[in-house]
Amino acid sequence: MAFQKAFKGTVLVGGGALATVLGLSQFAQYRRKQVNLAYVEAAECFTEPVNREPPSREAQLLTLQNTPEFDILVIGGGATGSGCALDAVTRGLKTALVERDDFSSGTSSRSTKLIHGGVRYLQKAIMKLDIEQYRMVKEALHERANLLEIAPHLSAPLPIMLPIYKWWQLPYYWVGIKLYDLVAGSNCLKSSYVLSKSRALEHFPMLQKDKLVGAIVYYDGQHNDARMNLAIALTAARYGAATANYMEVVSLLKKTDPETGKDCVRGARCKDVLTGQEFDVRAKCVINATGPFTDSVRKMDDKNAAAICQPSAGVHIVMPGYYSPESMGLLDPATSDGRVIFFLPWQKMTIAGTTDTPTDITSHPIPSEEDINFILNEVRNYLSCDVEVRRGDVLAAWSGIRPLVTDPNSADTQSISRNHVVDISESGLITIAGGKWTTYRSMAEDTVNAAIKTHNLKAGPSRTVGLFLQGGKDWSPTLYIRLVQDYGLESEVAQHLAATYGDKAFEVAKMASVTGKRWPVVGVRLVSEFPYIEAEVKYGVKEYACTAVDMISRRTRLAFLNVQAAEEALPRIVELMGRELNWDDRKKEQELETARKFLYYEMGYKSRSEQLTDRSEISLLPSDIDRYKKRFHKFDADQKGFITIVDVQRVLESINVQMDENTLHEILNEVDLNKNGQVELNEFLQLMSAIQKGRVSGSRLAILMKTAEENLDRRVPIPVDRSCGGL
């Protein structure tokens, strides 16, 4: 077994593909002024992609079936697999890619959303004089600059604060961060700087003030990971790669080499997960880019193959945006158990994570309550005591499995290198394992280089440095203004479309439904508090979305931002997808059930809902119980002992508030633990107790009842004696 460890320094190759694009030089100057970003050029000029739009999934399946032999077949549609397909097809190789689930359905959509070189890896490189870690950081910093350049709509620089609570740490961390800038060289996004205590609190007012000495701010990149992965796959499809999601590899095809007499991998037996149809896809070379499932594919090739992948679980939680500044992240470099925690603004919410613990390999990782509470406790240590960090404010949570390359006997995942490894089996199967999101492109380049050399394929050098991903070529920071002016979209929706689809946002806008209002003219939202619109569902089907889960988690990011909002949007999403994909009623019900299970288990809804159960303790003071009983009885005027929709409607009408019955049903259902259509007094007291403990927040029923009570109390009789009795 040959192991080729892929370590490279920064390489800037000449050429001028990007400079040939009309108007790009002015835009590049703008970017360099804003973030001092190095301008990365492609290896040589490109012609336009062969397809203006990616072919339909049906067309891609026909290509897979009818092509006698591909040069390269990539298994795995994550960032690395999609990157391999893009690298191969742009070298002129006949390329295919199959993914058994959806693009980015695994680790690539469950990251910390950072494009980074790895500050902590540089620290290890210096402390341990580890040249491999240093090279990995240098490579990642070059790739960071390239990714920010080729997908400007999906990525941007983000300042990250490192708070300092001991004087001796200030020079120590300052030297480390400055070395990070130095290693980046011309790829440095913006120079790091030191803040005094008062300035640090200006930028991050919710920070713990006691013993704060100051802070250091450095820059890394941030992106929309699932959309970035999809952009890579769609770009590969536009350049001619036959890409198909929901295509599972059942077995590898082998053929005896007449010269050597060895059995060589020459393709795969594939199964369409959606229809059950099976067929062979033949190729001169097969690349295994399946992340955590690396070893399962290797064992298809050789059942005795030793494991090279040790999975590690990383859990993240999402909290409301008010927990962090809109444009400043936070790094906790030394948590209570030595792990690193990031606290970052993302999509107007706040992401906190990650954990790093050994785990079993599964297609459906579930965030544990233990990991969620660990992150919350670390957040509490860094935020002011004025900010109550509540368990109920966790809006979503997810677990991603990192495919770390290691000795199978090693149990310490914290010390494992994140470097990638290219493995070539005796039968010619090429496996790419390890690495991280930021370096997906260089990993793909090394993998395709190995494939070309091993299988004597005729191809030139890699051309993906500086190659724009779908949506990035004609994007500009002011593109959203044209969407507002030309289509009558809300500014928030227009900004979202521009930041999600780049120059393809106009195609989504063209599909937008008329609202019937004076403003906005078009763009019906899926849920009121998020800028996702119904037209995105229709467009998502064009982007190979096949299930409701694809739509709520990867075409939009609703599931990752707020599980309750995602569940609320599900019926409409299923209805719209059903029209596009001709689903019958039975199929629609299946999609709803599957998506709800996904939210319940994989997106943290289960952990969230368990904070309020019919076994919850009521720990309220007697005075609180009396107060909440009085509030309850204002709704339960008939003294039945429970509240129904009719009771709530009656009170709302008395204070001139209108609310439709479906919304009221949803509000009561959140608290109706035994699901009998009624909220009993005990259930209401359990809710108020859980709210006081911080286990539940944002209960619509609790807020509605409090507001109604206050309005009822203000309705006192108007005295009429001084106006002669009102006559």
Side-chain angles (χ1 to χ4, degrees):
M1 184 182 294
F3 281 84
Q4 302 175 356
K5 286 197 176 180
F7 304 127
K8 298 186 304 180
T10 303
V11 179
L12 291 175
V13 279
L18 302 183
T20 63
V21 181
L22 182 62
L24 186 61
S25 59
Q26 292 91 337
F27 174 62
Q29 288 170 10
Y30 167 83
R31 291 279 288 177
R32 281 196 290 273
K33 282 181 184 176
Q34 296 298 310
V35 299
N36 194 27
L37 186 62
Y39 188 59
V40 189
E41 295 184 336
E44 58 181 88
C45 295
F46 267 107
T47 57
E48 284 296 307
V50 294
N51 301 304
R52 184 180 178 277
E53 297 297 332
S56 68
R57 183 174 182 272
E58 291 71 22
Q60 298 283 36
L61 292 180
L62 287 173
T63 303
L64 287 172
Q65 282 181 278
N66 298 330
T67 301
E69 186 179 53
F70 290 94
D71 292 317
I72 284 181
L73 168 63
V74 182
I75 306 173
T80 305
S82 298
C84 287
L86 180 58
D87 189 276
V89 75
T90 50
R91 296 193 197 203
L93 295 169
K94 194 177 291 185
T95 306
L97 179 147
V98 293
E99 159 62 47
R100 75 173 176 183
D101 203 308
D102 185 29
F103 303 111
S104 192
S105 58
T107 308
S108 295
S109 64
R110 303 171 191 236
S111 73
T112 313
K113 322 304 179 195
L114 285 178
I115 310 170
H116 64 112
V119 173
R120 58 178 172 150
Y121 304 143
L122 181 61
Q123 180 188 25
K124 288 180 181 179
I126 295 168
M127 299 294 287
K128 298 180 180 180
L129 299 177
D130 188 336
I131 190 65
E132 290 184 357
Q133 292 270 13
Y134 169 78
R135 285 173 177 164
M136 185 193 72
V137 173
K138 187 151 182 82
E139 176 187 63
L141 288 169
H142 171 252
E143 294 302 323
R144 179 187 71 178
N146 182 64
L147 195 49
L148 286 165
E149 190 71 30
I150 65 177
H153 58 303
L154 292 169
S155 59
L158 176 72
I160 300 175
M161 181 183 289
L162 184 66
I164 306 296
Y165 287 92
K166 295 178 181 176
W167 279 107
W168 67 266
Q169 290 179 333
L170 193 58
Y172 173 77
Y173 284 124
W174 184 82
V175 169
I177 294 298
K178 279 299 172 186
L179 280 172
Y180 192 59
D181 291 349
L182 187 64
V183 173
S186 61
N187 294 321
C188 181
L189 303 183
K190 227 177 187 181
S191 293
S192 56
Y193 55 91
V194 176
L195 289 174
S196 65
K197 175 179 178 178
S198 59
R199 291 299 304 279
L201 291 172
E202 271 182 45
H203 287 284
F204 213 117
M206 55 283 293
L207 202 59
Q208 173 66 260
K209 303 171 191 171
D210 297 341
K211 299 182 181 179
L212 181 68
V213 171
I216 299 171
V217 176
Y218 73 98
Y219 284 78
D220 259 327
Q222 189 178 53
H223 69 152
N224 187 337
D225 53 1
R227 293 293 318 182
M228 185 74 81
N229 190 159
L230 185 62
I232 300 166
L234 291 171
T235 306
R238 290 183 64 205
Y239 275 96
T243 60
N245 53 354
Y246 293 99
M247 288 297 296
E248 180 180 6
V249 170
V250 178
S251 61
L252 297 177
L253 304 177
K254 291 192 176 183
K255 185 178 180 181
T256 303
D257 188 325
E259 294 182 9
T260 62
K262 289 183 179 180
D263 284 343
C264 298
V265 175
R266 288 291 183 267
R269 180 74 174 174
C270 298
K271 176 183 177 181
D272 186 339
V273 175
L274 303 178
T275 64
Q277 180 188 13
E278 291 189 15
F279 54 85
D280 293 339
V281 179
R282 300 194 177 276
K284 296 172 184 174
C285 170
V286 175
I287 293 175
N288 170 20
T290 52
F293 302 95
T294 292
D295 288 324
S296 62
V297 175
R298 292 176 69 246
K299 289 181 185 298
M300 282 186 188
D301 174 36
D302 177 7
K303 63 181 179 181
N304 297 317
I308 64 170
C309 180
Q310 179 171 317
S312 166
V315 171
H316 295 81
I317 63 174
V318 171
M319 306 175 78
Y322 55 71
Y323 273 96
S324 65
E326 216 172 282
S327 57
M328 178 75 75
L330 183 76
L331 168 64
D332 178 357
T335 61
S336 56
D337 68 351
R339 293 182 282 193
V340 171
I341 289 285
F342 284 99
F343 194 60
L344 309 167
W346 184 71
Q347 303 279 309
K348 299 189 177 178
M349 296 294 180
T350 301
I351 288 181
T354 178
T355 60
D356 191 3
T357 51
T359 185
D360 295 326
I361 296 173
T362 172
S363 299
H364 306 286
I366 299 171
S368 70
E369 187 62 26
E370 181 183 357
D371 283 331
I372 291 171
N373 284 320
F374 165 77
I375 296 170
L376 285 173
N377 286 332
E378 294 303 325
V379 169
R380 288 187 185 102
N381 292 337
Y382 268 83
L383 294 190
S384 167
C385 56
D386 296 335
V387 180
E388 184 184 356
V389 180
R390 305 179 297 182
R391 174 61 182 82
D393 282 339
V394 177
L395 304 175
W398 69 85
S399 176
I401 301 178
R402 302 184 192 90
L404 307 180
V405 182
T406 182
D407 179 337
N409 297 317
S410 173
D412 178 15
T413 65
Q414 294 181 54
S415 63
I416 295 171
S417 169
R418 265 63 171 175
N419 291 319
H420 63 272
V421 168
V422 177
D423 168 39
I424 306 168
S425 74
E426 291 295 325
S427 59
L429 175 69
I430 310 288
T431 295
I432 172 66
K436 59 181 182 176
W437 225 120
T438 307
T439 58
Y440 85 91
R441 193 213 61 81
S442 62
M443 291 166 64
E445 180 181 341
D446 293 334
T447 306
V448 177
N449 283 343
I452 291 169
K453 183 177 179 181
T454 303
H455 295 277
N456 298 314
L457 303 175
K458 297 189 186 306
S462 175
R463 299 176 174 180
T464 50
V465 174
L467 174 67
F468 276 116
L469 299 182
Q470 168 142 321
K473 184 177 178 183
D474 295 321
W475 175 87
S476 75
T478 57
L479 182 145
Y480 79 95
I481 297 174
R482 287 172 55 199
L483 292 171
V484 175
Q485 293 176 335
D486 294 354
Y487 295 95
L489 289 161
E490 290 175 83
S491 182
E492 184 187 13
V493 171
Q495 288 175 353
H496 153 68
L497 293 181
T500 302
Y501 304 96
D503 58 30
K504 299 294 181 185
F506 296 99
E507 296 179 20
V508 184
K510 289 173 187 175
M511 298 179 178
S513 303
V514 176
T515 63
K517 303 176 183 177
R518 185 183 63 80
W519 190 263
V521 180
V522 300
V524 178
R525 295 195 184 208
L526 288 167
V527 280
S528 59
E529 66 266 42
F530 289 94
Y532 300 107
I533 60 174
E534 291 183 354
E536 293 181 76
V537 179
K538 187 175 180 180
Y539 192 78
V541 173
K542 291 180 63 176
E543 292 184 323
Y544 304 139
C546 299
T547 69
V549 172
D550 297 345
M551 197 63 65
I552 61 174
S553 60
R554 294 174 287 274
R555 303 309 181 279
T556 70
R557 305 311 306 273
L558 263 177
F560 283 80
L561 295 170
N562 190 315
V563 287
Q564 284 186 299
E567 186 186 39
E568 186 180 321
L570 261 178
R572 183 58 179 160
I573 287 173
V574 169
E575 186 64 35
L576 292 167
M577 288 191 78
R579 291 180 194 171
E580 297 298 313
L581 297 170
N582 298 316
W583 290 345
D584 58 22
D585 290 343
R586 183 182 174 188
K587 174 64 175 174
K588 289 177 186 177
E589 283 300 319
Q590 288 176 346
E591 287 294 322
L592 276 172
E593 184 181 353
T594 301
R596 284 172 178 152
K597 281 184 180 178
F598 170 79
L599 292 173
Y600 189 71
Y601 291 106
E602 295 183 52
M603 288 292 112
Y605 210 160
K606 180 175 185 289
S607 295
R608 181 179 172 87
S609 64
E610 284 178 349
Q611 300 307 306
L612 180 64
T613 70
D614 54 8
R615 295 181 298 279
S616 298
E617 294 180 5
I618 299 174
S619 53
L620 295 168
L621 295 173
S623 58
D624 288 333
I625 291 176
D626 288 342
R627 177 159 53 94
Y628 293 137
K629 279 184 176 179
K630 287 177 183 177
R631 183 176 299 171
F632 183 85
H633 289 312
K634 286 188 177 181
F635 282 77
D636 180 24
D638 301 330
Q639 302 295 307
K640 304 182 297 296
F642 59 83
I643 294 171
T644 65
I645 288 177
V646 174
D647 295 319
V648 178
Q649 280 178 325
R650 175 181 50 78
V651 174
L652 292 180
E653 285 172 3
S654 70
I655 58 173
N656 298 318
V657 174
Q658 300 293 324
M659 194 171 291
D660 67 88
E661 191 170 324
N662 288 335
T663 303
L664 283 175
H665 178 75
E666 288 176 7
I667 290 173
L668 263 68
N669 195 50
E670 292 173 7
V671 186
D672 182 12
L673 300 175
N674 55 18
K675 304 304 177 190
N676 62 354
Q678 305 166 352
V679 175
E680 282 86 11
L681 175 61
N682 197 55
E683 289 174 328
F684 180 66
L685 293 177
Q686 286 172 359
L687 169 66
M688 302 314 296
S689 178
I691 288 172
Q692 277 199 7
K693 289 180 179 178
R695 295 200 307 263
V696 171
S697 66
S699 167
R700 292 186 286 179
L701 181 65
I703 294 169
L704 181 67
M705 291 177 71
K706 181 182 180 182
T707 304
E709 180 186 44
E710 290 170 349
N711 282 320
L712 286 169
D713 290 343
R714 279 198 290 266
R715 293 181 62 197
V716 294
I718 300 173
V720 295
D721 55 322
R722 298 188 61 184
S723 61
C724 302
L727 299 175

